[in-house]
Amino acid sequence: MWTGGFFSIGTLLMGLAYNNALITVGRIVNQVSIGSALTIAPVYITEISPDSSRGSLTSLPEILVFLHVSRAFFLSREKLKLGRWPSTLATIGVFTMPESPRWLVMQGRSGDANDILERTYDSQHEASRRLAEIEEAVGNMQRTGRDVWRELWLHRSPFVWHMIICVLGINIIQQALGIDIILLYSNRIFEKAGVTSSNEKLLWTVIVHIVKATCFLIATGYLHKVGRKKLLLGRIGATTIMLAALGICLNIISDADNIIGNADKSHEKHNWAVAYCTPLLLLYVASVSSGVGPIASVYSVEIFPLRLRAQGYAVGIVVKEVTGLALSTIFLQDYHATTAVFSFMVCGFFVFAFVYFIMPETEGRALEDIWKLFVEYFVRRSTAGERERQRDIGAVEAAAMELQRNVEAMEAGTRSTAGDIELQRNTEAAEAAARVDIEASP
């Protein structure tokens, strides 16, 4: 409710602003509410959703933010103050929303939590089972007694560190695949594709946003059928391929422009590359929007246990925003569209490896059980490492025994050789003495 109120005030200030200073104040107030909403909404939805639809529902805020950004693209500044009405209505609507059952249990209101769980789960038995799991998680949280930030950074266990790495990684991935930067370069890509009219550029921009929103919505329906990790790997692979193909086409067109010096003639010479640019851009947007787009927020918020969820997810949001700011600062100054495309293509290979080796699959697990995946992962790695260490120790011992046998054999061979030499000397001495006796005899 506080977030919606701040957003209404900030939007109204920008709409009524008569100078840049007031616009800046309105934007600052808005950013306070936006930063809060980016953390609050996914955590709330995750905690109140049944397991069967948690992924789809948690990704909805991303879709709605995108749709509102697309709508604002077509509004003038005079209509900016209209933005206060959605936030005002949302603030009023919050009064009809139930509290998170996890939060209620933390406040000692298990009866209220059970009522909400019965409304969101299919059966009373399932709701009772979930309530018992939540109460156990809250009990563990209270027994731990540690400050959350201290547990995240100072006294973190190996599996909590694994969670943090996954959250930081998935949020960096969302920026490292370059969707925001490539969309900012989209007008240049359209120009390379022969689109010069402002109206045509606007039309293609609208098409790009429609493709992005459509693929985002479609992906939410596959999160529970395919799984987070499989869908993410498939889309990252497709994204990398699209970036490689788009970069090649842009590079061919740029080289032709530099050699010929006439864009129209270079387009005629490499019309196939020109024709592929826009479809490849749309396929790239579709790949990102149907993969890391909806999965990043879902995965980041569901992997933490209850006591670490909000703070851990907030760290991921901060990292995502900082990464986006850093990439914007780097690529929007001195780099060209082709350089940006190839740079993000290279990132795609590292991103694929990170997801494949580091991130476990969370599909099909209850919210209170997902953190156990990371404990199991750590135990498996520790067990595997211990087995490997024992194998190494066994191999070293076997090598040492073999070396000892070789040394003993060499020593035995040396003793045998020395004995033969001594015997030979004695034989020769005896023969020499015999000859002397023979010669000395009458």
Side-chain angles (χ1 to χ4, degrees):
M1 288 187 288
W2 278 103
T3 297
F6 269 103
F7 196 89
S8 298
I9 295 171
T11 306
L12 185 61
L13 285 174
M14 287 191 292
L16 299 176
Y18 54 86
N19 56 32
N20 289 335
L22 197 55
I23 290 179
T24 302
V25 172
R27 282 186 60 82
I28 291 173
V29 174
N30 256 5
Q31 292 303 315
V32 171
S33 63
I34 291 171
S36 302
L38 286 174
T39 302
I40 295 170
V43 172
Y44 173 81
I45 295 172
T46 297
E47 293 190 348
I48 203 170
S49 301
D51 299 332
S52 59
S53 56
R54 185 176 63 239
S56 302
L57 294 176
T58 305
S59 61
L60 280 179
E62 292 279 350
I63 300 174
L64 296 176
V65 167
F66 168 72
L67 292 176
H68 281 293
V69 170
S70 302
R71 179 184 61 86
F73 185 79
F74 302 100
L75 295 180
S76 62
R77 180 169 170 262
E78 288 73 19
K79 297 178 181 178
L80 186 61
K81 54 189 175 184
L82 295 175
R84 74 183 187 276
W85 293 114
S87 58
T88 301
L89 294 174
T91 305
I92 296 172
V94 169
F95 285 97
T96 66
M97 293 164 55
E99 286 286 0
S100 161
R102 275 83 181 173
W103 183 85
L104 289 171
V105 173
M106 291 171 61
Q107 307 306 311
R109 298 164 58 184
S110 297
D112 294 336
N114 186 65
D115 292 340
I116 295 171
L117 290 171
E118 288 180 354
R119 289 160 54 188
T120 54
Y121 282 89
D122 296 332
S123 65
Q124 185 175 357
H125 173 72
E126 179 71 11
S128 300
R129 189 167 67 87
R130 283 287 177 265
L131 179 61
E133 293 174 354
I134 295 170
E135 289 176 336
E136 180 183 358
V138 171
N140 292 334
M141 177 180 176
Q142 293 171 347
R143 285 194 296 271
T144 300
R146 291 178 180 172
D147 177 73
V148 172
W149 292 109
R150 186 173 298 177
E151 185 171 355
L152 275 175
W153 300 110
L154 298 180
H155 304 291
R156 60 182 179 271
S157 57
F159 53 87
V160 171
W161 179 234
H162 187 188
M163 294 175 192
I164 294 173
I165 290 175
C166 287
V167 167
L168 298 183
I170 191 66
N171 284 281
I172 292 174
I173 285 171
Q174 195 170 19
Q175 300 294 337
L177 292 177
I179 183 65
D180 293 337
I181 306 300
I182 298 298
L183 288 180
L184 289 173
Y185 277 118
S186 59
N187 278 340
R188 297 187 189 181
I189 296 174
F190 293 146
E191 290 174 0
K192 296 290 185 182
V195 179
T196 55
S197 168
S198 298
N199 290 332
E200 290 181 349
K201 290 180 183 178
L202 179 61
L203 175 62
W204 278 110
T205 301
V206 172
I207 293 174
V208 166
H209 282 74
I210 291 174
V211 169
K212 184 178 179 180
T214 303
C215 293
F216 210 111
L217 285 169
I218 292 174
T220 58
Y222 284 92
L223 283 176
H224 299 288
K225 298 178 181 179
V226 180
R228 277 70 152 157
K229 186 171 182 176
K230 290 181 180 179
L231 184 60
L232 197 56
L233 287 172
R235 293 300 180 264
I236 290 172
T239 299
T240 306
I241 294 172
M242 294 304 109
L243 285 171
L246 179 60
I248 291 171
C249 291
L250 292 174
N251 192 55
I252 291 173
I253 297 172
S254 297
D255 289 344
D257 288 347
N258 294 332
I259 295 173
I260 298 175
N262 188 314
D264 293 334
K265 291 184 179 179
S266 67
H267 286 182
E268 292 175 3
K269 185 175 180 180
H270 298 286
N271 56 357
W272 64 270
V274 173
Y276 283 142
C277 280
T278 301
L280 286 173
L281 176 62
L282 295 177
L283 288 173
Y284 160 76
V285 171
S287 300
V288 177
S289 302
S290 59
V292 69
I295 293 175
S297 59
V298 175
Y299 197 91
S300 297
V301 74
E302 69 183 2
I303 64 174
F304 285 104
L306 179 61
R307 66 180 182 277
L308 306 176
R309 183 169 296 133
Q311 290 84 350
Y313 180 68
V315 170
I317 292 295
V318 171
V319 169
K320 182 178 75 171
E321 297 300 321
V322 171
T323 305
L325 176 62
L327 291 176
S328 300
T329 303
I330 293 171
F331 283 102
L332 295 184
Q333 289 184 353
D334 303 321
Y335 290 84
H336 300 289
T338 306
T339 305
V341 169
F342 278 127
S343 299
F344 295 128
M345 178 204 71
V346 173
C347 290
F349 293 102
F350 294 100
V351 165
F352 188 93
F354 177 87
V355 173
Y356 185 83
F357 291 107
I358 302 297
M359 295 174 58
E361 177 62 75
T362 60
E363 170 57 29
R365 299 295 290 259
L367 190 59
E368 271 65 43
D369 290 339
I370 290 178
W371 67 274
K372 297 177 183 177
L373 285 171
F374 294 86
V375 178
E376 293 168 2
Y377 179 89
F378 174 73
V379 171
R380 286 197 304 271
R381 290 291 300 271
S382 300
T383 305
E386 181 63 24
R387 287 198 299 267
E388 185 67 24
R389 190 174 71 85
Q390 292 297 332
R391 283 197 295 267
D392 292 341
I393 292 174
V396 170
E397 291 176 347
M401 293 176 64
E402 182 66 23
L403 179 61
Q404 181 66 26
R405 284 194 295 269
N406 292 337
V407 170
E408 291 174 354
M410 291 175 63
E411 290 176 349
T414 302
R415 287 195 299 270
S416 176
T417 303
D420 292 342
I421 293 173
E422 184 66 23
L423 178 62
Q424 182 67 25
R425 286 201 198 98
N426 294 335
T427 303
E428 291 175 355
E431 290 176 351
R435 284 195 300 270
V436 171
D437 290 340
I438 292 172
E439 293 173 355
S441 62

